[in-house]
Amino acid sequence: MSNAPFDELETELGKFPPAVLDAYRESLEAMESSFSSEELLLWAKEGSAIAGQTVRSWESAVEYYRVCPMVARSLAFPSFMQWARCGTYLSQDSPALAVSFFKASPSIVSNLRPQYIPRWAGLGRSLYKGTWKSSTLSSRFFEVSPDLIRSLPFWDVEVFASLVEALSYKSYDIAVECLTLGKDVLPAMGREREAFLAMCRALSDGNWREVKSCFEVAPKALQQVDEGQTSRFLKLGERLTKVGIRDTSRFLSDGSQALSQIPTGSQAHILDLCEGLLAITPEAVPCFLKSLNSVTHRVTLNQLDTWFHHGVQLLKDNPESGIAFFKVESNTSESLLETLSSSLELDRVKGVVRLYCRALSGSPIEVMNTQELVRRNIGWVDEDTASTDGTKVFLPPVVDHYQDKSQNFSWFKVVATHQVGHLEFGSFAYDFSKPALQFEEERRYALERERGAQQISDDVLLGDLEPDGQARAYTDIGRFLSLFDDRRLAFDLFTVLEDCRLDYRIKAEYPGIRRTAMDVQSDTLSRRPEVEDLPLQEALVELLIRMSLDQFNNLPVPVDFREEATMLAQILHVLRDVAANVEDTAEATLRAYEIISRLQNETQPEDQWEPEDMEEPGDFSEEEFQSLLDKLQASQDSSGDAGEGDPYDSPEPVDYRGDFKPEMVQLLTKLQMDQNQQGEGEPLSQEMLEQLLQDSAELELDAEQGDINNSTSTFAQNIMKEAGVPPPNSQPGQGYGPLLHDDDQGGELEAREPKTYVYD
């Protein structure tokens, strides 16, 4: 083919700004490898036609020539020319549109079937209405098109473009923002996209401002709905929109949040209920979903149906009353929930429980939420576990152990009674020097002298020994627990045995709670772990727990350790006497520890267990006990297996007995007393307190050394603040907070924080 046509073309292109001819020549070499001479000439002339459309169309031609080599790699020549003519038509309308079209094309043609290219160009062109705002919108559509085409079916792109066009009639700004949001939101939606776009399209006819909000909340909201129910949820939103419910974005947010709290598989039922409401009074649907979370925290799903159907009947009779019902703003709704609810909130019964506790103890005991105790950060960490700090009873905020409200109230009473029992019957009044009443021989002094003679100073709480060999400790409980090598095992035994003493004493002193307490104990027993599954030391501790819960018959006992189990039962029975005191618990702990600690913590074979009755194991005898210890010691000495076996783990807690921290309570009490009696004795330093906390078996600290140091330091500071002890190196009158200004430093006060001011 002669070069004359190309020469003429270059002459024609020379009439435009030089950038056009430069772009043509740069592109020509690459295009020669893609098209024949005839095709090449048609390609080149199309660029000239584009440049001649309007005064600024030469910019479109530059972009056309620039992208042609990339587009030609993906399209056959007929499809290529069809694409090029789309750009020509756009250039007639607006050169800026054509530039955006051409810039986006290399990414489009590799992801879109050729027959769809004219339709894609038409979508962008449909957004242009001859104004600069519409030009901006149309250009933005072409800019985001590569992301849309790459991720969405083309028919979804068409629906989205239709939505954007509808919004543009209301507000070009909203249309542009939704177009930008849609680029990221729609590809992530998957199959729910169609329902979402349909809902937004319904909004665009009326409450069009909500469309943007829906695009903003949808990504987070839809993640909280079961995958199989998302489209149904969105269709519900569409139907609400069509009947005039305006706050659709709030519906998405509140509705999805409510559904996220519903168990997997039950969301479909909730949507069934919503669709039923929609047919009666659409305005009730958002109210129902917004209240759903609080309602399902109070009633089961079966009970929810009863509450719901009562509300539906109200809606039919009186729509205003029905809507108030579903908002839980009516007495009818609240009363029905209260009737149906099995859970019991402490706030609802705190006054009654307070009077009950004061009647039991004869003192003005205060009842508080466990959250208050945990918030102090002084060693108590579980909001769901009852406890006491030695002066007040702390109970969980909500009890939902049973399906019956009266049973949950009874559980509250048993829990409160046990905590009052700690205060009433002296659990925190342990005195190392006070004699036990049931055990004639006091072994603690002998053990203390033995440890003093061995000079194992590293194992003694807070350091060394007094001149008389007495362990130097800040509290009596601390002094007692310092006698044991395995402080965790000793504390667990002390806890179990003291709880046993308390439960027996409570049932004897408070006969009115006896039946309820026995029911709670029976229920607790049904949820205890199997004794046979535990290694030996842990199994014997669990055996003591079961006996403390009044199970004495058919107790699984390892055959080879029947004598040890019987001796433990005899020790426990000593505490089942109203005359037993907390010092007896300590002596019982010493004896139980000396037996269990001498045994290997190994799991026993399944065939080595037999049921035993321990209701009448015989009276405890110091001679028989010592004989058993001698036998165990001889076995250890001969086999050399002392200390072998699995590491000891504490038993699962007995939930109604709560969190027992005698050492912490004595510590707080003594710190407060010492603060009130300044000058008497050496005060406890923060470093000493931190060491005490690290040695304590009552605190569960993180395993990493750095975390332990941080935890103990924080606990120590908070405990000293709780007791009113001044911080280290403080001056009289100075608290724990830093001084904001010191006149000795000179200078004037300055306002350094936002929204703070200095006044003369």
Side-chain angles (χ1 to χ4, degrees):
M1 183 176 178
S2 169
N3 286 332
F6 289 96
D7 293 339
E8 292 177 5
L9 181 63
E10 288 201 8
T11 301
E12 188 67 26
L13 293 176
K15 298 176 182 178
F16 302 109
V20 178
L21 186 56
D22 291 343
Y24 162 73
R25 288 173 175 170
E26 186 176 341
S27 180
L28 179 60
E29 183 177 351
M31 296 299 291
E32 286 176 338
S33 61
S34 299
F35 297 151
S36 65
S37 298
E38 292 80 4
E39 293 171 340
L40 203 60
L41 183 59
L42 291 174
W43 159 75
K45 286 183 176 180
E46 193 65 35
S48 177
I50 292 172
Q53 295 297 319
T54 66
V55 175
R56 304 288 301 184
S57 292
W58 63 269
E59 296 171 343
S60 307
V62 170
E63 193 63 32
Y64 166 76
Y65 283 128
R66 187 186 69 80
V67 303
C68 278
M70 293 179 281
V71 174
R73 287 197 290 267
S74 299
L75 297 178
F77 184 74
S79 298
F80 177 89
M81 289 306 298
Q82 188 180 44
W83 163 79
R85 290 187 181 110
C86 289
T88 304
Y89 298 142
L90 288 171
S91 185
Q92 291 174 357
D93 294 333
S94 168
L97 252 61
V99 169
S100 298
F101 170 80
F102 288 130
K103 282 184 176 180
S105 291
S107 298
I108 294 294
V109 295
S110 59
N111 292 288
L112 188 63
R113 293 180 180 178
Q115 62 266 34
Y116 290 146
I117 291 175
R119 290 166 62 179
W120 167 61
L123 293 177
R125 191 178 186 188
S126 67
L127 298 175
Y128 179 67
K129 309 299 180 184
T131 63
W132 69 269
K133 283 192 173 183
S134 65
S135 176
T136 300
L137 176 63
S138 181
S139 296
R140 182 61 179 151
F141 171 78
F142 286 122
E143 289 171 13
V144 303
S145 285
D147 290 320
L148 295 173
I149 296 296
R150 188 182 305 114
S151 306
L152 309 183
F154 186 70
W155 51 86
D156 281 349
V157 176
E158 291 181 306
V159 174
F160 181 44
S162 174
L163 170 64
V164 172
E165 182 179 8
L167 290 172
S168 71
Y169 292 116
K170 311 294 185 180
S171 167
Y172 278 109
D173 292 337
I174 294 291
V176 170
E177 289 181 282
C178 290
L179 185 58
T180 303
L181 288 168
K183 172 178 70 73
D184 299 317
V185 172
L186 294 176
M189 276 192 180
R191 292 179 298 176
E192 301 82 23
R193 191 165 43 243
E194 181 179 351
F196 177 76
L197 289 172
M199 183 187 71
C200 291
R201 191 66 180 84
L203 278 171
S204 68
D205 294 333
N207 194 18
W208 50 271
R209 290 184 177 85
E210 274 290 290
V211 177
K212 178 191 171 186
S213 299
C214 290
F215 271 97
E216 290 172 334
V217 305
K220 180 180 178 181
L222 298 184
Q223 287 179 0
Q224 302 181 84
V225 183
D226 286 350
E227 184 177 354
Q229 302 302 321
T230 308
S231 293
R232 190 177 174 194
F233 175 63
L234 290 170
K235 288 176 182 177
L236 179 63
E238 178 188 0
R239 293 170 65 187
L240 287 171
T241 298
K242 289 181 176 179
V243 296
I245 302 301
R246 300 184 60 81
D247 205 350
T248 307
S249 60
R250 177 62 63 86
F251 162 78
L252 291 180
S253 180
D254 291 348
S256 61
Q257 175 63 30
L259 289 173
S260 70
Q261 305 301 314
I262 301 300
T264 302
S266 298
Q267 290 188 6
H269 178 60
I270 299 299
L271 291 176
D272 286 341
L273 300 181
C274 289
E275 289 166 355
L277 278 182
L278 181 66
I280 302 169
T281 306
E283 292 86 352
V285 176
C287 303
F288 168 62
L289 285 174
K290 188 172 183 179
S291 304
L292 185 62
N293 194 9
S294 62
V295 171
T296 53
H297 273 82
R298 299 173 63 179
V299 298
T300 65
L301 287 178
N302 288 335
Q303 293 167 334
L304 174 69
D305 284 348
T306 302
W307 176 81
F308 175 85
H309 291 303
H310 189 90
V312 168
Q313 191 58 49
L314 275 178
L315 272 179
K316 293 177 180 178
D317 297 339
N318 186 330
E320 289 186 2
S321 297
I323 289 175
F325 180 93
F326 284 111
K327 287 182 176 180
V328 197
E329 293 178 352
S330 70
N331 291 332
T332 304
S333 180
E334 187 62 47
S335 298
L336 183 55
L337 285 174
E338 182 65 24
T339 302
L340 293 171
S341 172
S342 59
S343 64
L344 191 62
E345 298 174 4
L346 176 62
D347 287 343
R348 294 180 176 275
V349 295
K350 182 188 288 187
V352 175
V353 175
R354 183 192 298 116
L355 289 174
Y356 172 76
C357 292
R358 291 177 177 180
L360 288 180
S361 64
S363 59
I365 291 177
E366 188 58 54
V367 174
M368 301 183 72
N369 193 314
T370 49
Q371 294 170 338
E372 296 289 333
L373 185 59
V374 172
R375 196 174 296 125
R376 297 180 191 174
N377 197 23
I378 55 174
W380 283 267
V381 297
D382 190 351
E383 294 182 354
D384 296 323
T385 303
S387 192
T388 175
D389 64 354
T391 59
K392 295 177 282 293
V393 170
F394 294 88
L395 300 176
V398 178
V399 173
D400 195 15
H401 285 257
Y402 306 101
Q403 294 296 315
D404 181 76
K405 189 185 293 291
S406 62
Q407 285 182 289
N408 282 320
F409 181 67
S410 296
W411 192 89
F412 249 140
K413 287 200 301 182
V414 172
V415 171
T417 303
H418 194 83
Q419 297 307 314
V420 171
H422 280 307
L423 305 176
E424 182 73 2
F425 303 127
S427 295
F428 304 117
Y430 173 75
D431 187 338
F432 195 92
S433 61
K434 183 178 177 179
L437 300 179
Q438 302 300 307
F439 289 95
E440 297 179 1
E441 182 179 334
E442 298 185 341
R443 301 180 68 88
R444 60 189 182 282
Y445 290 112
L447 182 57
E448 189 174 53
R449 287 192 297 271
E450 178 184 338
R451 291 176 70 84
Q454 294 172 356
Q455 293 294 308
I456 311 179
S457 59
D458 290 340
D459 288 343
V460 179
L461 186 64
L462 295 179
D464 52 3
L465 304 171
E466 300 289 2
D468 61 358
Q470 173 184 317
R472 180 182 298 169
Y474 191 69
T475 64
D476 284 279
I477 288 287
R479 179 181 173 188
F480 171 70
L481 292 175
S482 70
L483 303 178
F484 302 94
D485 291 329
D486 190 339
R487 195 174 176 124
R488 166 58 64 185
L489 173 60
F491 177 70
D492 289 342
L493 290 170
F494 182 81
T495 300
V496 172
L497 294 170
E498 177 63 5
D499 283 334
C500 174
R501 182 184 78 88
L502 279 188
D503 279 353
Y504 184 85
R505 184 83 180 266
I506 285 169
K507 284 183 283 189
E509 300 277 358
Y510 308 140
I513 197 71
R514 185 183 303 153
R515 180 70 260 170
T516 302
M518 292 173 64
D519 290 341
V520 170
Q521 285 185 329
S522 176
D523 179 64
T524 301
L525 276 170
S526 68
R527 292 180 278 109
R528 297 301 302 172
E530 297 294 332
V531 178
E532 300 94 320
D533 295 337
L534 301 171
L536 184 58
Q537 288 184 346
E538 297 166 35
L540 292 177
V541 173
E542 181 62 31
L543 209 60
L544 286 171
I545 292 175
R546 286 176 173 269
M547 288 189 284
S548 77
L549 293 169
D550 283 2
Q551 180 188 351
F552 294 103
N553 298 321
N554 294 316
L555 285 170
V557 172
V559 174
D560 293 339
F561 301 94
R562 183 182 289 110
E563 185 178 359
E564 289 83 350
T566 302
M567 183 61 67
L568 290 172
Q570 291 174 354
I571 292 170
L572 179 137
H573 272 278
V574 172
L575 299 176
R576 291 170 58 81
D577 189 308
V578 293
N581 58 13
V582 68
E583 287 74 25
D584 284 305
T585 300
E587 287 295 325
T589 300
L590 279 168
R591 289 157 176 78
Y593 178 89
E594 291 195 73
I595 295 172
I596 295 176
S597 64
R598 285 176 163 83
L599 303 175
Q600 288 183 273
N601 194 34
E602 294 181 339
T603 304
Q604 303 300 301
E606 291 184 10
D607 59 355
Q608 293 300 304
W609 296 83
E610 289 186 358
E612 295 285 343
D613 292 340
M614 296 289 183
E615 192 157 10
E616 296 181 0
D619 294 335
F620 173 77
S621 164
E622 293 287 357
E623 293 77 14
E624 292 178 3
F625 172 71
Q626 189 58 51
S627 174
L628 175 61
L629 290 189
D630 294 341
K631 176 181 172 183
L632 290 173
Q633 189 62 49
S635 175
Q636 278 188 342
D637 294 341
S638 63
S639 63
D641 57 8
E644 295 183 6
D646 298 331
Y648 170 78
D649 285 331
S650 293
E652 291 184 13
V654 179
D655 54 3
Y656 80 85
R657 288 173 172 171
D659 195 0
F660 182 45
K661 294 187 183 294
E663 188 174 10
M664 190 66 65
V665 171
Q666 281 200 349
L667 172 64
L668 283 168
T669 302
K670 194 162 190 310
L671 281 171
Q672 292 166 345
M673 291 176 60
D674 289 352
Q675 180 63 17
N676 294 331
Q677 301 172 1
Q678 294 182 0
E680 300 183 11
E682 180 182 352
L684 185 69
S685 69
Q686 182 171 329
E687 292 74 15
M688 296 169 67
L689 180 55
E690 289 179 14
Q691 183 60 49
L692 184 152
L693 294 175
Q694 286 192 17
D695 293 339
S696 175
E698 296 178 10
L699 296 180
E700 297 181 3
L701 301 175
D702 296 324
E704 296 295 332
Q705 186 62 40
D707 292 335
I708 290 178
N709 291 337
N710 291 335
S711 298
T712 53
S713 177
T714 301
F715 281 149
Q717 291 180 17
N718 291 336
I719 288 170
M720 296 181 82
K721 283 191 284 187
E722 184 76 15
V725 179
N729 304 320
S730 65
Q731 300 299 319
Q734 179 180 337
Y736 279 80
L739 291 175
L740 298 179
H741 178 69
D742 187 348
D743 289 331
D744 293 338
Q745 300 296 322
E748 298 180 353
L749 285 172
E750 296 180 8
R752 298 180 178 178
E753 299 295 329
K755 297 184 179 180
T756 60
Y757 309 91
V758 175
Y759 295 92
D760 294 334

